[in-house]
Amino acid sequence: DPGSMYWRYADAVGYYEGVPAERQIGTLGYVEAELTTRVDVPGSCFNYASYLTNLLPVAVARAYGRPAVELYEERIYRHIGVESHAIVNLDRFGNPIVEGQVSLRLRDFARWAYLFMNSGRSLGGEHVVPPSWIAECFGSDPERRAAFARSDYADLMPGAEYHNQGWLLGPEVGTLA
């Protein structure tokens, strides 16, 4: 549906060609224009919202006074032994569009996955990401799971959770997407 929230958001960040500039208001413009009312009590029902993921690099950039992509490259990405740069889409205002829009070469993606398989250590053994954060990504929470079970995603991914920007699809076996 072209009038749905997804399509309004896709227009705002310029996902598709041919969107007039006046509709490409960017991540922040979208949030200011669209997120004006609360739909549910926080924590009561899971609702995946791409624009919230895209607000993270904006907040990081404001907190550190540097672009989030630059910080990611400097503090994490180059430490995993990558062969190529990551490709990150930007809205027309230069804000990263990171929900599902970071592209890596397959071997670099494997290096990224290795961090999760080895408690935040790179192939070279360097601790790049805190082990506690990695463990938290794989940790199940009954309240989070219950909120997810009340969501539109419950039938599609029974027993799943979403946390730390990852889909915990099989908490009992550690399936993270």
Side-chain angles (χ1 to χ4, degrees), residues 5-16 19 23-24 30:
M5 184 174 263
Y6 169 79
W7 287 106
R8 290 192 312 272
Y9 179 68
D11 283 355
V13 298
Y15 275 169
Y16 306 106
V19 176
R23 287 201 340 240
Q24 292 186 36
Y30 177 82

Side-chain angles (χ1 to χ4, degrees), residues 57 60-79:
V60 166
R62 296 240 172 120
Y64 286 88
R66 294 177 51 204
V69 172
E70 207 176 273
L71 289 163
Y72 168 72
E73 173 92 20
E74 175 188 296
R75 297 187 180 190
I76 298 174
Y77 193 66
R78 76 170 60 147
H79 295 279

Side-chain angles (χ1 to χ4, degrees), residues 63-132:
Y64 286 88
R66 294 177 51 204
V69 172
E70 207 176 273
L71 289 163
Y72 168 72
E73 173 92 20
E74 175 188 296
R75 297 187 180 190
I76 298 174
Y77 193 66
R78 76 170 60 147
H79 295 279
I80 65 173
V82 295
E83 296 176 4
S84 298
H85 290 287
I87 298 170
V88 179
N89 289 346
L90 304 174
D91 68 18
R92 75 183 187 110
F93 302 99
N95 294 312
I97 306 300
V98 295
E99 36 75 35
Q101 301 294 318
V102 178
S103 299
L104 308 175
R105 287 193 175 178
L106 187 57
R107 292 188 336 184
D108 291 338
F109 183 79
R111 288 173 173 90
W112 178 250
Y114 189 88
L115 284 177
F116 285 85
M117 295 171 15
N118 291 284
S119 300
R121 288 187 188 273
S122 69
L123 284 169
E126 178 183 1
H127 253 123
V128 179
V129 178
S132 59

Side-chain angles (χ1 to χ4, degrees), residues 140-162:
S140 184
D141 177 79
E143 289 180 27
R144 225 178 17 243
R145 190 180 273 205
F148 196 95
R150 291 187 293 273
S151 77
D152 293 340
Y153 294 86
D155 291 338
L156 182 62
M157 297 178 266
E161 300 174 41
Y162 184 84

